[in-house]
Amino acid sequence: MDFLDKQVKLPFSKGAVSLKYVLAHSAYWLLITGFFIYEKRYLIHKASMPYFVACVTVRIALLIVIAYLNLHFFLPKYLLKKRYFIYSVAVIASVIGYLTAQSLFDFYLYGYVIGPMRNSDLMESLSYNFFSTLWYLGLMLALKLSMDWYGQQLLIQKITVEKLNAEVNFLRAQVNPHFLFNILNNLYALTLKKSELAPDVVLKLSEMMEYMLYDSTDAKVLLEKEIAYLSNYIELERLRFSADSAILLNINAELKGHEIAPLLLLPLVENAFKHGLSKQTENSWLTVDIALNNATLTVNIENSKPSTVSNKSKGGIGLDNLRKRLELLYPAKHQLEFDDKKNVFHARLVIEL
């Protein structure tokens, strides 16, 4: 958990609040206190240091009391329960209480301690304190609403990420058994033929399972592991197709030292096999080109497909999930483009790692 999300208990609050809340509100009151100190600094010479301290302390203390009465008592108990009349009465009563106490203090301080001044007139003191109170309460309310909005945005983003992770897990559960079934059938056929390819198939399958179990659950993985997983997937899928199928993986990159979110590249290759090569009985082909320029990864995937089949809107939740994950994980740092032609489907993905 983030250190700033640590929960603490405050007066006037029924529940615990985060440390972010405490720091933001502390900064607000320090700013207000600094303003009053600057505004009332003349009292040090006109009256004395104790009266100066008392003037600032009384004003800040009274503002804090009515501000948090409103935020942590009146708002949740009346306004959020749509008891608008009672809420209005409570707020007005608290403001009147503040005005009475503050204006009487100002009347005494300016009228008797340091001699007749502007605030020595009680009505003028009431007017000044009334409008200043509304201003500071408005600022406090705006601060609360801003923090609530920001918290809701973080919560929405967290829920969205959790939903996408659930969809990724669903894809793993949905795709892998079907993939494993095909690979095991091919492996069985190879063992019957006593083919020398059988041990290599077992090794590649073992590496893929290790990646799925131990690496793909991390937020970031080494790019070389992600592409190694993709390479093994392509090699094992190659077993399903005839020797006439041209399946190429070209890697023009120094992969070490870079990381990427896991399983971002697989949906594009899966889509090529599912809607391209598997629908075509002969002369099928697939080309995967991967390049890395500084920290910009570019993946181009082209595959043949029957002219009567369109890849549009047939990527299932795999490509939809990929788009959403890219928007969350690499906002403004990615490009995902598709070009669906008569006999060729082209996918291009660019990510700034």
Side-chain angles (χ1 to χ4, degrees):
M1 183 176 65
D2 191 336
F3 173 74
L4 293 178
D5 290 328
K6 182 179 179 181
Q7 300 292 300
V8 295
K9 189 72 174 65
L10 290 180
F12 302 112
S13 177
K14 293 184 177 181
V17 296
S18 69
L19 190 57
K20 291 179 182 178
Y21 176 98
V22 175
L23 293 176
H25 283 247
S26 297
Y28 170 81
W29 288 114
L30 285 174
L31 182 64
I32 298 301
T33 302
F35 172 76
F36 279 133
I37 289 174
Y38 177 79
E39 183 187 32
K40 305 297 182 182
R41 67 188 186 282
Y42 66 88
L43 290 177
I44 299 175
H45 307 289
K46 292 286 186 178
S48 62
M49 179 60 74
Y51 281 108
F52 165 74
V53 173
C55 179
V56 175
T57 302
V58 167
R59 185 175 294 273
I60 295 298
L62 290 174
L63 282 174
I64 288 175
V65 169
I66 65 169
Y68 290 107
L69 272 175
N70 183 41
L71 293 183
H72 297 293
F73 188 75
F74 299 151
L75 273 174
K77 189 172 183 179
Y78 302 126
L79 185 62
L80 297 183
K81 295 181 180 179
K82 299 182 179 180
R83 302 170 69 181
Y84 303 120
F85 177 76
I86 299 179
Y87 173 74
S88 301
V89 171
V91 171
I92 293 172
S94 66
V95 171
I96 290 175
Y98 166 79
L99 289 176
T100 302
Q102 184 63 56
S103 297
L104 287 175
F105 179 82
D106 289 346
F107 180 69
Y108 166 76
L109 178 63
Y110 295 106
Y112 294 95
V113 176
I114 61 177
M117 294 185 65
R118 177 175 61 84
N119 289 45
S120 61
D121 183 270
L122 185 58
M123 293 305 298
E124 189 169 351
S125 178
L126 284 170
S127 175
Y128 170 80
N129 288 322
F130 174 76
F131 288 107
S132 64
T133 303
L134 292 182
W135 171 252
Y136 292 118
L137 288 181
L139 287 178
M140 175 58 69
L141 184 60
L143 176 64
K144 174 179 172 55
L145 294 177
S146 298
M147 294 187 66
D148 288 348
W149 176 85
Y150 179 71
Q152 288 176 352
Q153 296 303 308
L154 291 180
L155 180 60
I156 290 172
Q157 187 178 36
K158 181 180 178 181
I159 292 173
T160 303
V161 171
E162 290 177 351
K163 179 176 179 292
L164 287 177
N165 288 336
E167 290 177 357
V168 171
N169 292 332
F170 173 73
L171 286 174
R172 290 193 186 110
Q174 182 186 48
V175 176
N176 287 344
H178 178 71
F179 172 74
L180 288 174
F181 178 76
N182 289 328
I183 297 304
L184 290 175
N185 275 339
N186 292 326
L187 181 59
Y188 177 69
L190 291 173
T191 55
L192 289 179
K193 297 177 182 178
K194 297 183 179 180
S195 171
E196 295 179 356
L197 295 176
D200 187 52
V201 170
V202 173
L203 179 61
K204 292 183 184 302
L205 186 59
S206 174
E207 290 175 350
M208 289 185 66
M209 295 302 296
E210 180 181 7
Y211 180 83
M212 292 293 293
L213 289 173
Y214 301 110
D215 294 317
S216 66
T217 56
D218 296 334
K220 291 287 183 69
V221 296
L222 292 174
L223 181 59
E224 55 193 289
K225 285 190 175 183
E226 173 77 2
I227 293 182
Y229 173 81
L230 192 69
S231 176
N232 286 335
Y233 177 86
I234 291 174
E235 290 302 315
L236 292 179
E237 281 282 35
R238 193 194 299 272
L239 298 174
R240 297 171 49 200
F241 301 94
S242 66
D244 296 333
S245 299
I247 302 175
L248 300 175
L249 172 61
N250 303 315
I251 302 174
N252 181 22
E254 177 59 43
L255 305 178
K256 292 184 178 180
H258 296 278
E259 292 184 327
I260 189 173
L263 302 178
L264 281 181
L265 308 183
L266 181 63
L268 297 175
V269 178
E270 281 183 330
N271 189 69
F273 278 110
K274 182 178 180 181
H275 299 293
L277 279 70
S278 63
K279 303 291 184 181
Q280 199 169 4
T281 56
E282 58 183 14
N283 298 324
S284 60
W285 57 271
L286 167 66
T287 302
V288 180
D289 293 313
I290 298 176
L292 185 65
N293 184 12
N294 295 326
T296 300
L297 178 69
T298 302
V299 180
N300 284 289
I301 300 175
E302 283 190 332
N303 62 273
S304 61
K305 68 183 186 68
S307 58
T308 56
V309 177
S310 173
N311 279 29
K312 291 179 180 178
S313 304
K314 290 194 176 182
I317 63 175
L319 294 185
D320 289 338
N321 182 279
L322 174 62
R323 291 188 186 95
K324 294 174 184 176
R325 291 184 71 204
L326 286 169
E327 290 172 1
L328 281 173
L329 299 173
Y330 298 96
K333 292 185 177 181
H334 76 276
Q335 296 177 19
L336 180 60
E337 302 171 348
F338 300 107
D339 186 10
D340 193 0
K341 298 178 181 178
K342 183 178 180 180
N343 299 108
V344 178
F345 185 79
H346 177 214
R348 182 173 184 267
L349 173 62
V350 180
I351 304 176
E352 295 179 23
L353 302 177

